[in-house]
Amino acid sequence: MIRRIADNIYSPLGLTTAENYANVKAGRSCLHRYEGAMGLPEPFTASLFDWDQVERLDGYTRFETIAIQSARRALAQADIDPASPRVLFVVSTTKGNVELLPHEDRIHLGAAAKMIAAYFGNPNQPLVVSNACISGLSAQIIAMRLLENGVCDTAVVIGADVQSHFIISGFQCLMALSPMECRPFDIERVGLNLGEAAATIIYDKVDQLGADEWQAVSGAVRNDAHHISNPSRTGEGSYRAICAAMGDMSAERLAFVNVHGTSTLYNDEMEAVAVNRAGLKDVPVNSLKGYYGHTMGAAGVLETILSMQAVDDGCVLGTRGFEELGVSKAVRVSAQNGQTDKRAFLKLLSGFGGCNAAMLFGKGGER
């Protein structure tokens, strides 16, 4: 069994998992409208760090700093030596140090990951997972497989991204950004917001799980090869990922499905089709993008940790910004926090290039 032993969320909403969960449960968000930021001519809405309040590390970039700060806090909870050769660092990011273009060697994701692992004295070559928006789940799935096959004893999975002129202008060119706070699955949704964050989850392998311990049960990645940036209208890749991750798990045992829920017209429609098609239309569905925006490589890790916290608390977190369903298929989305006594959840992500991922998590051996 692949067990979660520690975690941390380092974001504009808080520097610990507990702070982040409390703020999300209270309905707070750090999404703000920015004008003239990063040299961009058009205003945008995003969740960005106040870098005057971040503990900076000499010799490290913004991206490396938040990744290290998150990992430090997670490792402080775990009785492991990060410098052990049996510990492997897995870094999930979409753009890393892209703001260093065009001259710095550390724009290469592998070079940045080495800086992060070296901070902790780890002797291994870190593994980088960069698979568009599904990077955070892809990284966890790979960590599961490495642990199951005895490649390492402990996997430190760090998801992180920061925003830059390069990234935001790219989404503006795609006309994918909302000028206001995003509204996942809502009939009035017009686009996504971007965000900055780092999140870390640490896994090991055990033969037996405690009643209150979390297990990464199964995961799957499926590519529908539909389009370089548009999701499949039939939700083919997401549907197949859901089916593979769920196995023989019944929908009735899920507390909720935490979807990607970016607030773009096509993503939310595609996910509604896939969730409905997979027989999960009566399971509560939520998106966390209204609190953080789209944190890219951090999203899959951050949203997994918050979902674990919610189940621990007997809560189904509300979808901030949602009021009226605006997709063609029935899905059970609510703007308000709800209650649950279930001990498992499904996490979904989808991204450019037709990639889709799903992971099933259970508490205390629930599977």
Side-chain angles (χ1 to χ4, degrees), residues 289-303:
K289 298 298 190 293
Y291 305 97
Y292 294 93
H294 189 346
T295 56
M296 306 194 314
V301 184
L302 181 154
E303 293 168 6

Side-chain angles (χ1 to χ4, degrees), residues 115-127:
M115 293 289 293
I116 295 166
Y119 178 90
F120 298 98
N122 189 270
N124 298 317
Q125 171 74 38
L127 184 64

Side-chain angles (χ1 to χ4, degrees), residues 51-96:
W51 288 96
D52 291 335
Q53 297 177 355
V54 172
E55 182 184 351
R56 301 298 293 268
L57 301 172
D58 290 342
Y60 293 89
T61 64
R62 296 194 309 141
F63 163 71
E64 294 157 5
T65 294
I66 64 169
I68 290 169
Q69 295 290 18
S70 177
R72 282 174 60 186
R73 287 161 170 77
L75 285 162
Q77 307 164 29
D79 185 22
I80 61 171
D81 176 8
S84 167
R86 296 298 298 167
V87 174
L88 181 65
F89 281 73
V90 182
V91 177
S92 159
T93 185
T94 62
K95 296 300 178 187

Side-chain angles (χ1 to χ4, degrees), residues 94-95 132-133 135-136 161-163 167 171 194-195 294-300:
T94 62
K95 296 300 178 187
C133 302
S135 298
D161 265 309
V162 295
Q163 298 304 323
I167 297 169
F171 277 95
L194 292 169
H294 189 346
T295 56
M296 306 194 314

Side-chain angles (χ1 to χ4, degrees), residues 328-362:
S328 66
K329 298 296 182 181
V331 284
R332 191 177 157 192
V333 185
S334 174
Q336 306 300 321
N337 293 341
Q339 295 181 327
T340 184
D341 59 2
K342 310 289 178 64
R343 294 166 63 87
F345 69 90
L346 186 70
K347 173 74 192 115
L348 307 182
L349 288 178
S350 299
F352 287 170
C355 57
N356 300 271
M359 283 191 76
L360 177 64
F361 298 88

Side-chain angles (χ1 to χ4, degrees), residues 31-34 43-47 178-182 192-194:
L31 288 169
H32 297 290
R33 182 179 171 87
Y34 293 86
F44 60 92
T45 298
S47 177
S178 170
M180 59 201 76
E181 294 184 19
C182 65
L192 60 84
N193 305 138
L194 292 169

Side-chain angles (χ1 to χ4, degrees), residues 4-328:
R4 186 279 314 265
I5 59 174
D7 60 59
N8 171 266
I9 298 172
Y10 193 90
S11 84
L13 268 184
L15 306 185
T16 68
T17 295
E19 288 175 359
N20 277 271
Y21 179 70
N23 281 321
V24 169
K25 188 178 180 183
R28 301 187 186 102
S29 170
C30 269
L31 288 169
H32 297 290
R33 182 179 171 87
Y34 293 86
E35 296 191 22
M38 301 182 188
L40 290 161
E42 298 179 20
F44 60 92
T45 298
S47 177
L48 306 178
F49 281 106
D50 178 351
W51 288 96
D52 291 335
Q53 297 177 355
V54 172
E55 182 184 351
R56 301 298 293 268
L57 301 172
D58 290 342
Y60 293 89
T61 64
R62 296 194 309 141
F63 163 71
E64 294 157 5
T65 294
I66 64 169
I68 290 169
Q69 295 290 18
S70 177
R72 282 174 60 186
R73 287 161 170 77
L75 285 162
Q77 307 164 29
D79 185 22
I80 61 171
D81 176 8
S84 167
R86 296 298 298 167
V87 174
L88 181 65
F89 281 73
V90 182
V91 177
S92 159
T93 185
T94 62
K95 296 300 178 187
N97 285 323
V98 72
E99 63 185 345
L100 299 181
L101 280 172
H103 303 300
E104 289 281 347
D105 176 66
R106 274 148 68 187
I107 61 170
H108 300 294
L109 301 183
K114 284 182 181 179
M115 293 289 293
I116 295 166
Y119 178 90
F120 298 98
N122 189 270
N124 298 317
Q125 171 74 38
L127 184 64
V128 176
V129 180
S130 185
N131 192 7
C133 302
I134 74 167
S135 298
L137 284 190
S138 294
Q140 291 182 73
I141 292 168
I142 289 171
M144 285 178 60
R145 293 171 180 170
L146 294 173
L147 288 163
E148 288 168 346
N149 287 283
V151 174
C152 57
D153 294 333
T154 307
V156 181
V157 182
I158 308 168
D161 265 309
V162 295
Q163 298 304 323
S164 66
H165 182 285
F166 179 92
I167 297 169
I168 295 173
S169 63
F171 277 95
Q172 286 177 333
C173 288
L174 288 172
M175 302 183 69
L177 296 186
S178 170
M180 59 201 76
E181 294 184 19
C182 65
R183 304 183 64 174
F185 285 84
D186 192 83
I187 195 169
E188 299 292 339
R189 72 188 187 280
V190 294
L192 60 84
N193 305 138
L194 292 169
E196 297 180 326
T200 303
I201 190 163
I202 305 176
Y203 289 111
D204 67 3
K205 183 180 179 181
V206 293
D207 294 327
Q208 189 170 352
L209 208 65
D212 291 324
E213 292 183 315
W214 276 99
Q215 176 190 7
V217 178
S218 57
V221 172
R222 297 290 184 270
N223 194 300
D224 54 42
H226 174 72
H227 189 270
I228 193 170
S229 59
N230 290 337
S232 164
R233 299 291 180 92
T234 63
E236 191 66 30
S238 185
Y239 164 72
R240 291 185 180 276
I242 292 170
C243 293
M246 285 288 288
D248 59 2
M249 181 78 162
S250 67
E252 290 73 22
R253 292 164 66 187
L254 293 178
F256 51 81
V257 179
N258 178 244
V259 295
H260 194 33
T262 61
S263 296
T264 63
L265 294 175
Y266 294 130
N267 175 86
D268 294 6
E269 171 67 16
M270 178 278 291
E271 284 197 286
V273 170
V275 168
N276 185 286
R277 187 177 169 190
L280 305 179
K281 67 181 180 65
D282 295 322
V283 179
V285 166
N286 65 2
S287 165
L288 300 174
K289 298 298 190 293
Y291 305 97
Y292 294 93
H294 189 346
T295 56
M296 306 194 314
V301 184
L302 181 154
E303 293 168 6
T304 293
I305 295 169
L306 284 175
S307 295
M308 290 177 174
Q309 290 288 309
V311 172
D312 286 343
D313 191 32
C315 178
V316 179
L317 292 168
T319 300
R320 192 175 189 276
F322 172 80
E323 294 180 6
E324 180 182 352
L325 193 66
V327 291
S328 66

